[in-house]
Amino acid sequence: MFWKVLGIIVLVWLAFAVLGTVIKGLFWVAVAAAIVFGIYWLVKSISAGDQRDLTKL
């Protein structure tokens, strides 16, 4: 019983370690994507003229 509990704790710890590394690595990719999308949205809204429907890409 002790080894089962210890094995589960180790597996959960490894899962959190891997998940944390992936999230930390992808955070800056998500930030860059949000900035690029924001710039795209801003340019499209300025150059749209009369067609200022920002809900459509």
Side-chain angles (χ1 to χ4, degrees), residues 5 8-9 25 28 37 56:
V5 172
I8 290 172
I9 290 172
W28 293 112
F37 181 71
K56 295 180 182 176

Side-chain angles (χ1 to χ4, degrees), residues 14-54:
L14 284 173
F16 277 130
V18 169
L19 188 64
T21 304
V22 168
I23 289 173
K24 189 176 181 180
L26 292 179
F27 175 74
W28 293 112
V29 174
V31 169
I35 290 171
V36 168
F37 181 71
I39 291 171
Y40 168 75
W41 197 30
L42 180 65
V43 169
K44 185 172 169 120
S45 68
I46 290 172
S47 64
D50 291 335
Q51 301 170 347
R52 295 189 183 263
D53 188 7
L54 295 177

